[in-house]
Amino acid sequence: MRVVDGVIAVGVAAALLVAGLSARHVPTDLDPLGYAFLVAGGLALAARRRAPVVVLAVTAACALGYQAAGFEVPVVAYLFAVYAAVRAGHRVAAVVASVLMLGAVPFAILASGLHTTGEAFTQSRDVLQLAWLIAAGAAGEALRQAERRADEAERTREETARRRADEERLHIARELHDSLTHQISVIKLQAEVAVHLAGKRGEDVPEALLAIRDAGREAARELRATLEALRDDDPNPPRGLDDVPELVDRARSTGLDAHLTIEGRREDVPAAVGRTAYRIVQESLTNVARHAAAATASVRIDHRPGTLVVRIDDDGEATVDTAPEPGVGLLGMRERVTALGGRLRAEPRREGGFSVEAELPVGHPA
């Protein structure tokens, strides 16, 4: 767009300069200044998209300047500026500036000293006609309305697509619930009953039966988490940073020596960032309790300018020689962080144990 605006600006400047050179004109000492105003008024249009009101004022001043210098050239650049200002939504500024121009042009022509008062007002109608102003403003308004309708249509299409995706997601969740939840629950229940009866009789519980029971529990947990993500209709308010202390207290109640540290100045954190931080802490502490065989865990939330850093360290059995297995929880954390434009690091610590660190942009850097 900048290239197009530049080409238009150069073309208008050239046209104004040619018109000034070819028009009937009595040479004066102000001719160089008049030519400068002609060129400057056209070149100012290069910035009409970035600063339409400023360009409106500059082209008006240039038009009055070369009229006062004796160049009776139509104010073409100013009409382009009116169009650009109205298209950008600055209708009031365009109307006020045009009213002032209609009154100022005759006096600028009169200031050249080449016309009487009557001739100056007559000549002003040729230089700046009300019909030209109305046409320029109407063209800008028509295009602005067309662009707005196009934007609204695009938003409507996006909202429709999003709504259909939500409906399909809910449909998938219900199908999963109907087809899988019952069968998995039955398998898990039967396995738990069999383990219980075997233990009550004093018999050795087969490893395969224990594996079935544990697999059923894990499958039920993962399916429940998947269904919650697909349905996205939890009646409870979403969890966020304010709920992290509860997670740490819950982990401490299981025997894990968990500590929470909050650093930096607390600022407004987007809801999506807060939910992601909560999920990272939740999944990390769950992994510590289930897999790490750790005695202690530390959770640190650091509020930095433009960034929220969440770090969870434990003293479990992980070492730098053992690569972490990319389970569902770790993959889910990485997807959440990446979706927000952040970074996630999850790896064993040199001193032993495991570390998860996420950097989440909060959208208002200092």
Side-chain angles (χ1 to χ4, degrees), residues 17 29-40 62 65-67 69-71:
L17 183 59
D29 294 337
L30 296 178
D31 283 3
L33 185 60
Y35 291 125
F37 279 131
L38 286 168
V39 175
C62 289
Y66 65 71
Q67 295 295 330
F71 290 87

Side-chain angles (χ1 to χ4, degrees), residues 121-175:
F121 279 90
T122 301
Q123 184 64 30
S124 68
R125 289 197 295 269
D126 296 330
V127 170
L128 177 61
Q129 291 189 4
L130 182 60
W132 293 356
L133 283 175
I134 294 176
E141 180 66 16
L143 190 54
R144 190 180 75 88
Q145 293 292 342
E147 290 175 343
R148 189 180 68 176
R149 286 193 296 269
D151 292 340
E152 291 177 353
E154 182 65 24
R155 284 196 300 270
T156 301
R157 284 194 294 268
E158 292 177 356
E159 291 173 358
T160 301
R162 191 180 303 112
R163 184 174 63 253
R164 289 177 179 174
D166 292 341
E167 293 173 353
E168 183 64 20
R169 183 172 58 184
L170 182 58
H171 175 71
I172 293 173
R174 288 170 177 167
E175 289 292 329

Side-chain angles (χ1 to χ4, degrees), residues 59-329:
T59 55
C62 289
L64 294 176
Y66 65 71
Q67 295 295 330
F71 290 87
E72 299 171 0
V73 177
V75 292
V76 177
Y78 177 74
L79 295 176
F80 272 92
V82 170
Y83 160 81
V86 174
R87 180 180 176 182
H90 303 288
R91 289 173 291 186
V92 175
V95 171
V96 172
S98 297
V99 170
L100 294 176
M101 278 290 289
L102 287 171
V105 167
F107 293 99
I109 296 175
L110 188 61
S112 67
L114 303 177
H115 300 281
T116 64
T117 302
E119 292 174 344
F121 279 90
T122 301
Q123 184 64 30
S124 68
R125 289 197 295 269
D126 296 330
V127 170
L128 177 61
Q129 291 189 4
L130 182 60
W132 293 356
L133 283 175
I134 294 176
E141 180 66 16
L143 190 54
R144 190 180 75 88
Q145 293 292 342
E147 290 175 343
R148 189 180 68 176
R149 286 193 296 269
D151 292 340
E152 291 177 353
E154 182 65 24
R155 284 196 300 270
T156 301
R157 284 194 294 268
E158 292 177 356
E159 291 173 358
T160 301
R162 191 180 303 112
R163 184 174 63 253
R164 289 177 179 174
D166 292 341
E167 293 173 353
E168 183 64 20
R169 183 172 58 184
L170 182 58
H171 175 71
I172 293 173
R174 288 170 177 167
E175 289 292 329
L176 284 173
H177 181 274
D178 294 340
S179 61
L180 296 179
T181 305
H182 177 68
Q183 287 82 351
I184 291 177
S185 298
V186 170
I187 293 172
K188 182 170 70 72
L189 179 61
Q190 294 291 340
E192 289 177 347
V193 169
V195 171
H196 175 73
L197 292 178
K200 190 174 181 180
R201 294 169 183 167
E203 302 173 354
D204 293 333
V205 181
E207 292 294 331
L209 188 58
L210 292 174
I212 292 174
R213 182 197 62 180
D214 294 341
R217 290 176 177 175
E218 180 67 15
R221 188 187 73 83
E222 295 292 345
L223 180 60
R224 183 167 56 251
T226 302
L227 289 175
E228 289 177 356
L230 286 172
R231 292 178 64 183
D232 196 25
D233 60 351
D234 190 355
N236 299 317
R239 300 285 186 166
L241 281 179
D242 294 336
D243 302 295
V244 171
E246 180 184 345
L247 283 177
V248 177
D249 291 340
R250 192 183 309 159
R252 195 180 297 119
S253 67
T254 64
L256 180 68
D257 187 10
H259 300 278
L260 172 64
T261 303
I262 300 177
E263 300 179 352
R265 180 180 177 183
R266 174 71 181 269
E267 298 181 359
D268 292 336
V269 175
V273 174
R275 287 196 298 269
T276 298
Y278 176 87
R279 293 301 182 188
I280 290 172
V281 175
Q282 182 185 47
E283 187 64 34
S284 298
L285 292 179
T286 300
N287 289 338
V288 170
R290 293 175 56 203
H291 305 301
T296 64
S298 65
V299 178
R300 189 183 73 185
I301 297 177
D302 189 1
H303 295 273
R304 300 177 183 176
T307 305
L308 178 71
V309 179
V310 180
R311 178 165 179 164
I312 302 94
D313 296 319
D314 66 68
D315 63 350
E317 298 176 345
T319 64
V320 292
D321 298 328
T322 59
E325 297 182 2
V328 174

